[in-house]
Amino acid sequence: MNPVPLDREGEAALKQASTAFFNDGYRQIDFILAYQPDSNSKKRAQKVRFRQKFEASMRREGLELEVEGKENSQDGKTAFVKVHASWEALTRQAELDRIQMPIMASDLEPIKSSLINRGLSAASALIGRSNPFELQPEYQVEREKYFTDAYDRKREEQFLIGDQDHFFTQAQRIYLTWSIISGITISLNVQKRKKRQQSRAKGDILDNESSFSGSLFNEVQLNAVVDEEEPRESRVKTANIQYLLSNDIYGQAFPVHDCDLTDSAIDTVDWSKIPIERWPKRKYLRTVWGAFRQWHRHQPLDEIRDYFGEKVAIYYAWLGFYTKMLVYPAVFGIFITLWGIWHAFNDDEANSFCKAGSGGADLLICRACRQPACPYINVEDECINARLSAVIDNWGTTIFSVFMAVWVVVFLEQWKRYQSELRVRWDVSENKMNIEQVRPDYALKVNNAKLNPVTQLMEPFLPKRSLLQRTIISISSVVFFMFVVMALISAVMAYKIAGPILWYARLQYKDPVTGSTEVSISPTLLTSITASILNGLFIAVMTKIYMKIAWKLTELEMPRMQSNFEESFTYKVFIFQFVNFYGALFYLSFVRVFRNNEPHRSDYSSGCPPTGCLLDVSIQLFIIMTGKQAINNLLEFALPAIRNWLKQRKSLQSASPYARWEQDHDLVTPSGIGLFGNYLEMLIQFGFVTMFVPAFPLAPLFALINNVIEIRLDAYNDLVQMKRQIPVRAKDIGTWYGLLKVVSRLAVVTNAFLIALTTSFFDRLAYNANKYLPGQDNTTFFDFVLTPFKTELWCANNGSDTTLFGSLKSDCIELRTYEHHGNSTLVDHCYFRAYADPANNFEPTTAYYIVFLSKFLYVIIFEHCVLILQAFLGYMIPDVPDHVTVRQQREAFLQRQTFKEHELGPSSVKPEVVEVSDEEFAAEDPNKPWDLDSFASNLPKDVAVNKLGRRAPVGTTRKRPRSIYAAFFRKIMACSD
């Protein structure tokens, strides 16, 4: 693979733009090791010895080093070791890691873009513009597609090498270099002579140290078996780069960005002299991907993969795919909301509240508590709440919940298809992961060793008993903190109940005209808003606290491998965040509806308001979701910028050169757990969008807007504000796909219960059915769902100075008094929401049992129907597209062919091909029984045929001209997508 050639001016401009080179200006920097010499002379001498041994080992592995002393750095404290991997070192490691490299240009027909994209391109061409979602023509890079095979130095001539400097992508070079560095181990020589002699006398260990690429500690024991354990004292201790970093022998290890993006550096380069294909990747990605003005354009995923590696690229591929899929529910949600607004002013149920309140003070909602501080609420004051509820609580919401249940499974199934395409496209479909390294912390703290059956080496081992104890402590701690979160949620809900009482006294004022006591704002509405804000603050604080606790608990468990550590940490944080973010929503949606709302049974009414609970759920969801997204985006943008400015301001003001490696050293270091925070943020958002969407149909729209910003913001941070991430090979999104499936299954259940319990869907059904009963045609929805309560029951005499409810009779009179515009009225009866019979001690009515049974049946039917539909769609949508299968088969065929060519020679696998024209083919058999053109047009272009279908002689193949088959083959490929 040869790069686009440059003229002399272009070469000069490119050399000026690319700054990641050794001092000779030729060898590119693949990695940087930075350290600050220790002030303590004893420690400094020991660390210098370790660094010298490690750097000598790197040179033996084929890595070339160049050291920049601290006297040459801006801060005068940090020294840098520049690492360049030679061609021999890269190819050797590529063979070990089975890196897939090109062997032949693809001869398959290009895959057509989607119908929507083709339509947009055609429409844009008609008006003389380019497709607004595609990259601008001047920024499009032509990439040739190749078939690949695992690199083999013995078959080097079969690979399309061309220019050795450009054979491996930047991400591949860094990945291979880091693999070499990670595989290097050195002896620390920390054993005491006496213990070593004792060990040798017992024959426990060998004199020589063994080394193995990928192990932190390497121990060899004579006649060792798998189940034998060895105490720490008898081990020879060696360490790799992770140990050196964790013990501050090296301070940092990072790859450098390939160019400088500061304004002064960009302005000095004449970019017109450099073809777009030869631009430094960082500059190119910053222009077409990391700029907010490009928010509407597709991401250059292949270039992202070439620069950051597969793990980062597949995250952005998933985020972009998720964002694109959100367009459909976002548009549908807007339509449902607009229809809901129109419906709110024409809804009979909402109008029944507004019209019922036109009678004045006769129709009142009962006090929320048995204290004068809890006011009566005039039904006319509930008119606004009734209309707001009608916007989201309508027939359209029910349809939308079913649509979202189907959308979830389509999204996951389509992502699997797209992911399989990316695997083949990025050559990670058969990615065999390297043997993982033992975590440094695990190796340092574990006191036993055990033979690894894979490596046949003694490695640190944690006994099962100790592992069980640590796991029990960790699980118990997780459960404890879950209860802590639930307690905080309960405190917020208690405030939600008692809040109106607290706010009522503070919101009272004297009307100067009427002289009556009024309130400036509804205490109930103010309590609902402030409770949501308070819950959001609790969520933010507890998230920060629990992230640290989860990290400590995971360290306590002592996972052996880094992948085990990340998986355990992920599950802990997800469980906690699930309770933290969704706990209040679950309470409002599914618990509060069962709380007591009857004034004759409790001192406080903690149930739903007369217009239902869905409005409270919607307010809570809106504040938490949008507030979380806005705060996260603000912090993601501001914090790295502030940190970098504080680090770099002295260096930028200095007159001495600010080297490329020093600039990157001062950038923010990426998280030690990679993309964990990004995935977790999107997973929480996915739960908001799917599990509670009937309460907030605009949730997909807000998620879409956030994700469009999130993609460009994350891209900007990765390119400008953060150190370059070490590339990691990955073929999927890992654990997160399983968690997405868990949330999608829960979404079916929550949507079913939300429609059944929280909305008024079945109340409306029962009301509409009730209207057809004799004598019920004039009954309003208000009369149907609300039950009257005689306030004199608060003052019933029980033979003492107190009422039946334990309150003083004098207070009872005050409870029955309603003040409105300076007038005091003794209330005869008020209303509360329940299906209760006042004549039968407020026992449930027949309508209550009918509605409850309908809700129960709906949940069962809805869940089963949607789950069956999801299973059906999952079965009908193939996991792998047909064109991907064709490519895999074609590539496997070519891999076998190239191997045979190498082993047996080219003539053994290439049969003689005799090209014949249509006339020659027809002339061989003029009495053919079928139409030749019709027969040939139904065969692919590369299928060998002979006259009359007879087999050709061995070693000879008669093939139709390629033009005969081109149309049919294109049709096949078009239909296979």
Side-chain angles (χ1 to χ4, degrees), residues 321-336:
F321 183 82
Y322 170 48
T323 303
K324 182 175 68 174
M325 290 293 291
L326 279 174
V327 172
Y328 306 104
V331 172
F332 197 9
I334 293 173
F335 172 77
I336 291 295

Side-chain angles (χ1 to χ4, degrees), residues 159-373:
F159 291 88
L160 305 179
I161 295 177
D163 184 2
Q164 291 183 355
D165 291 336
H166 296 86
F167 180 56
F168 296 104
T169 65
Q170 290 189 33
Q172 287 174 334
R173 287 188 64 95
I174 296 170
Y175 169 79
L176 294 171
T177 306
W178 180 243
S179 296
I180 296 171
I181 295 174
S182 300
I184 297 173
T185 58
I186 61 172
S187 171
L188 297 181
N189 294 327
V190 296
Q191 288 183 305
K192 294 182 179 179
R193 184 179 301 274
K194 183 177 179 181
K195 291 182 178 179
R196 184 177 299 175
Q197 291 173 351
Q198 291 174 352
S199 299
R200 287 175 177 170
K202 295 178 181 179
D204 288 337
I205 59 173
L206 294 173
D207 290 340
N208 62 319
E209 300 171 7
S210 64
S211 62
F212 178 76
S213 177
S215 296
L216 178 64
F217 290 92
N218 299 326
E219 299 82 24
V220 180
Q221 186 179 21
L222 289 175
N223 301 321
V225 295
V226 175
D227 294 328
E228 288 181 344
E229 297 179 10
E230 182 184 17
R232 174 186 280 282
E233 289 78 6
S234 65
R235 284 190 276 151
V236 176
K237 190 175 181 183
T238 63
N240 68 357
I241 185 62
Q242 297 293 346
Y243 175 87
L244 301 181
L245 289 170
S246 62
N247 287 272
D248 203 31
I249 297 172
Y250 286 108
Q252 294 184 26
F254 58 90
V256 293
H257 290 290
D258 65 353
C259 71
D260 190 352
L261 285 183
T262 57
D263 294 337
S264 57
I266 293 295
D267 294 340
T268 58
V269 178
D270 187 1
W271 296 100
S272 63
K273 304 293 184 181
I274 308 174
I276 193 70
E277 293 84 0
R278 295 294 302 274
W279 277 21
K281 289 290 184 183
R282 190 188 191 193
K283 162 65 177 173
Y284 175 78
L285 291 173
R286 177 69 178 91
T287 302
V288 304
W289 178 54
F292 286 95
R293 65 178 177 274
Q294 303 284 357
W295 65 269
H296 56 288
R297 300 191 184 276
H298 294 160
Q299 301 180 86
L301 293 176
D302 292 319
E303 279 69 29
I304 297 171
R305 179 243 180 178
D306 289 348
Y307 192 72
F308 288 111
E310 288 82 9
K311 189 171 184 178
V312 172
I314 206 166
Y315 161 73
Y316 282 107
W318 175 81
L319 182 55
F321 183 82
Y322 170 48
T323 303
K324 182 175 68 174
M325 290 293 291
L326 279 174
V327 172
Y328 306 104
V331 172
F332 197 9
I334 293 173
F335 172 77
I336 291 295
T337 303
L338 293 176
W339 183 83
I341 293 173
W342 174 85
H343 172 265
F345 292 94
N346 298 275
D347 181 47
D348 293 338
E349 291 80 0
N351 289 335
S352 67
F353 278 89
C354 298
K355 294 178 181 178
S358 60
D362 291 334
L363 297 178
L364 302 173
I365 304 300
C366 294
R367 297 179 185 271
C369 64
R370 256 184 240 123
Q371 295 183 23

Side-chain angles (χ1 to χ4, degrees), residues 624-638:
I624 293 178
M625 181 179 178
T626 57
K628 172 183 176 294
Q629 293 179 165
I631 293 173
N632 282 350
N633 287 335
L634 179 63
L635 294 178
E636 285 181 19
F637 177 77

Side-chain angles (χ1 to χ4, degrees), residues 610-626:
T611 53
C613 280
L614 197 62
L615 183 60
D616 282 348
V617 178
S618 180
I619 293 174
Q620 181 82 14
L621 180 58
F622 172 77
I623 291 177
I624 293 178
M625 181 179 178
T626 57

Side-chain angles (χ1 to χ4, degrees), residues 28 61 70-71 145 321 326 452 472 498 505 551 583 589 594 609 646 704 720 752 773 831 864 945:
Q28 61 180 311
E61 291 286 341
K70 65 178 183 179
E71 63 277 1
K145 296 182 180 180
F321 183 82
L326 279 174
N452 187 328
I472 291 174
W551 188 270
S589 301
F594 293 108
L646 292 174
L704 175 64
V720 179
L773 296 178
Y831 293 86
H864 284 73
V945 296

